[in-house]
Coordinates of all heavy atoms in Angstrom, one line a residue:
M914 N -75.9 -143.9 99.8 CA -76.3 -142.7 99.0 C -77.6 -143.1 98.2 O -78.4 -142.2 98.0 CB -75.2 -142.4 98.1 CG -74.0 -141.7 98.8 SD -72.4 -141.7 97.8 CE -73.0 -140.5 96.4
D915 N -77.6 -144.3 97.6 CA -78.7 -144.7 96.9 C -80.1 -144.8 97.7 O -81.1 -144.2 97.3 CB -78.5 -146.1 96.2 CG -77.5 -146.0 95.1 OD1 -77.2 -144.9 94.5 OD2 -77.0 -147.1 94.7
E916 N -79.9 -145.2 98.9 CA -81.0 -145.3 99.8 C -81.5 -143.9 100.2 O -82.7 -143.6 100.2 CB -80.6 -146.0 101.1 CG -81.7 -146.1 102.2 CD -81.4 -146.5 103.5 OE1 -80.1 -146.6 103.7 OE2 -82.2 -146.8 104.4
A917 N -80.6 -143.0 100.4 CA -80.9 -141.6 100.7 C -81.3 -140.7 99.5 O -81.9 -139.6 99.7 CB -79.8 -141.0 101.6
G918 N -81.0 -141.1 98.3 CA -81.3 -140.3 97.1 C -80.3 -139.2 97.0 O -80.6 -138.1 96.5
I919 N -79.1 -139.5 97.4 CA -78.0 -138.6 97.1 C -77.2 -138.8 95.9 O -76.8 -140.0 95.6 CB -77.0 -138.6 98.3 CG1 -77.8 -138.1 99.6 CG2 -75.8 -137.8 98.1 CD1 -77.0 -138.3 100.8
A920 N -77.1 -137.8 95.0 CA -76.5 -138.1 93.7 C -75.0 -138.3 93.7 O -74.5 -139.1 93.1 CB -76.9 -136.9 92.8
Q921 N -74.3 -137.4 94.4 CA -72.9 -137.4 94.5 C -72.4 -137.1 95.8 O -73.1 -136.4 96.6 CB -72.3 -136.5 93.4 CG -72.6 -136.8 92.0 CD -72.3 -135.7 91.0 OE1 -73.0 -134.8 91.0 NE2 -71.2 -135.9 90.2
A922 N -71.1 -137.4 96.1 CA -70.5 -137.2 97.4 C -69.0 -136.9 97.3 O -68.4 -137.3 96.5 CB -70.7 -138.3 98.4
A923 N -68.5 -136.0 98.2 CA -67.1 -135.8 98.4 C -66.7 -136.8 99.4 O -67.2 -136.8 100.6 CB -66.8 -134.4 98.7
L924 N -65.7 -137.7 99.1 CA -65.0 -138.5 100.0 C -63.9 -137.7 100.7 O -62.8 -137.4 100.0 CB -64.4 -139.9 99.4 CG -65.5 -140.6 98.7 CD1 -64.9 -141.8 98.0 CD2 -66.7 -141.0 99.5
V925 N -64.0 -137.4 101.9 CA -63.0 -136.5 102.6 C -62.1 -137.5 103.5 O -62.5 -138.4 104.2 CB -63.6 -135.6 103.6 CG1 -62.6 -134.7 104.3 CG2 -64.6 -134.6 102.7
Q926 N -60.7 -137.3 103.3 CA -59.8 -138.2 104.0 C -60.0 -138.3 105.4 O -60.3 -137.3 106.2 CB -58.3 -137.6 103.7 CG -57.3 -138.3 104.6 CD -57.0 -139.7 104.1 OE1 -57.7 -140.3 103.3 NE2 -55.9 -140.3 104.8
A927 N -60.1 -139.5 105.9 CA -60.4 -139.7 107.3 C -59.0 -139.7 108.1 O -58.3 -140.8 108.2 CB -61.0 -141.1 107.5
S928 N -58.5 -138.6 108.4 CA -57.2 -138.4 108.8 C -57.0 -139.0 110.3 O -55.9 -139.3 110.7 CB -56.8 -136.8 109.0 OG -56.8 -136.3 107.7
T929 N -58.1 -139.2 111.0 CA -58.1 -139.9 112.3 C -58.0 -141.4 112.1 O -58.1 -142.1 113.1 CB -59.3 -139.4 113.2 OG1 -60.4 -139.7 112.5 CG2 -59.1 -138.0 113.5
C930 N -57.9 -141.9 111.0 CA -57.8 -143.3 110.6 C -56.6 -143.5 109.8 O -55.8 -144.5 110.1 CB -59.1 -143.7 109.9 SG -59.2 -145.6 109.8
Y931 N -56.3 -142.7 108.8 CA -55.2 -143.0 107.8 C -54.2 -141.8 107.8 O -53.2 -141.9 107.1 CB -55.8 -143.1 106.4 CG -56.7 -144.3 106.3 CD1 -58.1 -144.2 105.9 CD2 -56.2 -145.6 106.5 CE1 -58.8 -145.2 105.8 CE2 -57.1 -146.7 106.3 CZ -58.4 -146.4 106.0 OH -59.2 -147.6 105.9
G932 N -54.2 -140.8 108.6 CA -53.4 -139.8 108.5 C -53.3 -139.1 107.2 O -54.4 -138.7 106.6
H933 N -52.1 -139.1 106.6 CA -52.0 -138.4 105.2 C -51.9 -139.4 104.1 O -51.5 -139.1 103.0 CB -50.9 -137.4 105.2 CG -51.0 -136.3 106.2 ND1 -52.2 -135.6 106.5 CD2 -50.1 -135.9 107.2 CE1 -52.0 -134.8 107.5 NE2 -50.8 -134.8 107.8
D934 N -52.1 -140.7 104.4 CA -52.1 -141.7 103.3 C -53.5 -141.8 102.7 O -54.4 -142.4 103.3 CB -51.8 -143.1 104.0 CG -51.8 -144.2 103.0 OD1 -52.1 -143.9 101.8 OD2 -51.5 -145.4 103.4
N935 N -53.6 -141.1 101.6 CA -54.9 -140.8 101.0 C -55.3 -141.9 99.9 O -56.2 -141.7 99.2 CB -54.9 -139.5 100.3 CG -54.6 -138.4 101.2 OD1 -55.4 -137.9 102.0 ND2 -53.3 -137.9 101.3
R936 N -54.7 -143.0 99.9 CA -54.8 -144.0 98.9 C -56.2 -144.6 98.8 O -56.8 -144.7 97.6 CB -53.8 -145.1 98.9 CG -52.4 -144.7 98.6 CD -51.4 -145.9 98.9 NE -51.4 -146.3 100.2 CZ -51.7 -147.7 100.5 NH1 -52.1 -148.5 99.6 NH2 -51.6 -148.1 101.8
Y937 N -56.9 -144.7 99.9 CA -58.3 -145.4 99.8 C -59.3 -144.4 99.3 O -60.1 -144.6 98.4 CB -58.8 -145.8 101.2 CG -60.0 -146.7 101.1 CD1 -60.1 -147.8 100.2 CD2 -61.2 -146.3 101.8 CE1 -61.3 -148.6 100.0 CE2 -62.3 -147.1 101.6 CZ -62.4 -148.2 100.8 OH -63.5 -148.9 100.6
V938 N -59.1 -143.1 99.6 CA -60.0 -142.1 99.1 C -59.7 -142.0 97.5 O -60.6 -141.9 96.7 CB -59.7 -140.7 99.8 CG1 -60.2 -139.5 98.9 CG2 -60.4 -140.6 101.1
A939 N -58.4 -141.9 97.2 CA -58.0 -141.8 95.7 C -58.6 -143.1 94.9 O -59.1 -142.8 93.8 CB -56.5 -141.7 95.6
D940 N -58.4 -144.2 95.5 CA -58.9 -145.4 94.7 C -60.4 -145.5 94.7 O -61.0 -145.8 93.6 CB -58.4 -146.7 95.4 CG -56.8 -146.8 95.3 OD1 -56.3 -146.2 94.5 OD2 -56.3 -147.7 96.1
S941 N -61.0 -145.0 95.7 CA -62.5 -145.0 95.7 C -63.0 -144.0 94.8 O -64.0 -144.3 94.0 CB -63.1 -144.7 97.0 OG -62.6 -145.7 98.0
A942 N -62.5 -142.8 94.7 CA -62.9 -141.8 93.8 C -62.6 -142.3 92.4 O -63.5 -142.0 91.4 CB -62.2 -140.4 94.1
A943 N -61.6 -142.9 92.1 CA -61.2 -143.3 90.8 C -62.2 -144.5 90.3 O -62.4 -144.6 89.1 CB -59.8 -143.8 90.7
A944 N -62.6 -145.3 91.2 CA -63.5 -146.4 90.9 C -64.9 -145.9 90.4 O -65.5 -146.5 89.7 CB -63.6 -147.3 92.1
R945 N -65.3 -144.8 91.0 CA -66.7 -144.3 90.6 C -66.7 -142.7 90.5 O -67.2 -142.0 91.3 CB -67.7 -144.6 91.7 CG -68.1 -146.2 91.7 CD -68.7 -146.6 90.5 NE -69.8 -145.9 90.0 CZ -71.0 -146.3 90.4 NH1 -71.3 -147.4 91.2 NH2 -72.1 -145.5 89.9
P946 N -66.0 -142.2 89.5 CA -65.9 -140.8 89.3 C -67.2 -140.2 89.0 O -67.4 -138.9 89.1 CB -65.0 -140.7 88.1 CG -65.1 -142.0 87.4 CD -65.2 -143.0 88.5
D947 N -68.3 -140.9 88.6 CA -69.6 -140.4 88.4 C -70.3 -140.1 89.7 O -71.2 -139.3 89.8 CB -70.4 -141.4 87.6 CG -70.5 -142.8 88.3 OD1 -69.5 -143.2 88.9 OD2 -71.6 -143.4 88.2
R948 N -69.8 -140.7 90.7 CA -70.5 -140.5 92.0 C -69.6 -139.8 93.0 O -70.2 -139.2 93.9 CB -70.9 -141.9 92.6 CG -71.9 -142.7 91.7 CD -73.3 -142.1 91.4 NE -74.0 -141.8 92.7 CZ -74.8 -142.8 93.3 NH1 -74.8 -144.0 92.8 NH2 -75.5 -142.4 94.3
F949 N -68.3 -140.0 92.9 CA -67.4 -139.4 94.0 C -66.4 -138.4 93.4 O -66.0 -138.6 92.4 CB -66.7 -140.6 94.7 CG -67.5 -141.6 95.4 CD1 -67.1 -143.0 95.2 CD2 -68.4 -141.3 96.2 CE1 -67.8 -143.9 95.9 CE2 -69.2 -142.2 96.9 CZ -68.8 -143.6 96.7
I950 N -66.1 -137.4 94.3 CA -64.8 -136.8 94.2 C -64.0 -136.9 95.5 O -64.6 -137.3 96.5 CB -64.9 -135.3 93.9 CG1 -65.7 -134.5 95.1 CG2 -65.6 -134.9 92.7 CD1 -65.7 -133.0 95.1
G951 N -62.7 -136.8 95.4 CA -61.9 -137.1 96.5 C -61.2 -135.9 97.1 O -60.8 -135.0 96.3
V952 N -61.1 -135.8 98.5 CA -60.4 -134.6 99.1 C -59.4 -135.3 100.0 O -59.6 -136.1 100.9 CB -61.4 -133.9 100.0 CG1 -60.7 -132.7 100.8 CG2 -62.5 -133.3 99.1

């Protein structure tokens, strides 16, 4: 994101990797709420 000049992003659950276990999206969004929201 920094390289591209993107201010913020939505992290969308990778269901084809984790199904409905959304913990990595949740933990990532919580770690940087200034840059991420989680879906």
